[in-house]
Amino acid sequence: MNKIVKYVLIGLLVLGALWAAVFFIKSNSKEAITYETQNPFISNIEKKTVATGKVIPEDEIEIKPQISGIIQKIFLEEGQKVKSGDLIATIKVVPNEQSLNQSRGRVRNAELALNNIKIEYDRNKSLFDKGVISSQDFNTLQLQYDQATQELENAKADYQIIRMGSAGGSSSANTNIRATVEGTILEIPVEEGYQVIQSNNFNDGTTIATIADLSKMIFEGKVDEGEVAKLEVGTPLKISLGAVEGKELDAKLRFIAPKGIEETGAVQFKIEGDVEVKDDIFIRAGYSANASLVLEKKDDILVIPEALLQFDKKTDKPYVEVSTGDQQFERRDIEIGISDGVNVEIVSGLSESDEVKIWNKTEPIKRGEEDEESEESEE
C-alpha cells in the first residue's frame, strides 16, 4: 500500500514538473516578427510653403469732399459699378457762423470804401472833362476806383463760397460728390445726415466712398523669415480662396518686403502677387486666401518615403536598415536632400536595388504559425 502511494506521488511530481516546464517555455517565448521592405525609386520633389493672406484690389480710391457740410442725399449703393464723373452724393453746406459774419463784414467794408472813392471819382471826372486836373492825377484816381470795385467783388465771392459753397451762388461744383475713377463701389461709410469735413493740408477729410477696379486684384500675405530667402520676384503662385472651393487662381510674385515684422515671436515678411482674375469667378475684396509657393524643385531624383528614415541619437544623422538576407538587416548611413514631407531625396548611400526596412510597420507571427506556414509552403 505504501508503495502505491509512493508511486502516485512520484507520478504527480513528474506531471507537475512537466506542466511547469511547458508553462515557463510558453510564457517566455516571443513572437517572431517579420519586417517589410521597400526599394528606393525615381520621382520628382517640390518643396512648397503656404503663405496666408487675403486678396485685395490693386488700387482703392477714397472719394473725399472739397467742402465741409452735411450729407444731403446718397444716390448709389455699395457694390454698384460706376464710371468717372457719376454722381455719388450731394452735400448741404452748413457755414460757420463766425466765418460767415466776418465775410459779411468784409463785404460791408468794401461797399463803404467803394462808395467813398466813387464820390471822389465822380467829382474829379467832371473836373478832368473840363481840363482842370491833369491826366496823371485822374488816372491815379481811376486805379483806386477800379481796385475798390474789385475788392467788393472778391468779398462778395468769398461770402458766397462760405454761405453756398460756390462763388457763383450755385453749389453744384463743390457739393456734388462724383466718382473720379471707373470701378466698383466697395464701401460708403457715411449716411444721409452725416457731417463731413473737407480734405485739406491739415486734415485727410471724411471718406464719402471707396472705389476699386475688381478686375485688378493682388494677393497680400506673409511668409516666415526661414523661407523668404528662397523666394524670387516672378515666382508663380497658386491662390486658393476660402470662399471659393475647388478652384485655384494663378498669380506671380511681384514684391517681397525688405523689412520683416515680428509677430508672436517670429519674423514675418510681407509679399504681394498679381492675381489673374478669371471671368467665371467673382472675387470680392478682402477674401481670405492661401498662396502655395514652390521654394525648391528637383526632377528625376532617387527618393524614399521619409517614414523609412531613422536618426542616430548621438549625432542625429540619418540612416536606414538595408536587407542583407532573409529578415536580416544592416545599418547604412545615408545623405539626404530636399523633402516635401512625404518623400525625401537620397543624395548618397542607396541605390534602386537596395531593400530598405520598413521599421515602423511589422507583422508579428507566432512560432507555431510560422512552422505551419513553412509546412504548407513545402507541400
Side-chain angles (χ1 to χ4, degrees), residues 160 164 166-171:
Q160 288 294 334
M164 300 292 294
S166 174
S170 173
S171 60

Side-chain angles (χ1 to χ4, degrees), residues 1 116 133 145 244 285 301-302:
M1 189 66 179
N116 184 56
I133 62 175
Y145 176 75
V244 183
I301 57 175
L302 187 67

Side-chain angles (χ1 to χ4, degrees), residues 238-286:
K238 288 292 184 181
I239 308 297
S240 57
L241 304 175
V244 183
E245 297 182 359
K247 293 187 178 181
E248 289 186 337
L249 300 175
D250 294 323
K252 282 189 177 182
L253 188 62
R254 74 171 194 178
F255 172 77
I256 305 172
K259 180 181 178 181
I261 301 174
E262 186 173 351
E263 295 182 357
T264 62
V267 179
Q268 302 285 323
F269 286 81
K270 177 183 174 182
I271 63 170
E272 292 180 358
D274 291 318
V275 179
E276 297 179 11
V277 180
K278 298 180 180 179
D279 295 335
D280 60 337
I281 302 178
F282 178 69
I283 303 177
R284 301 180 186 274

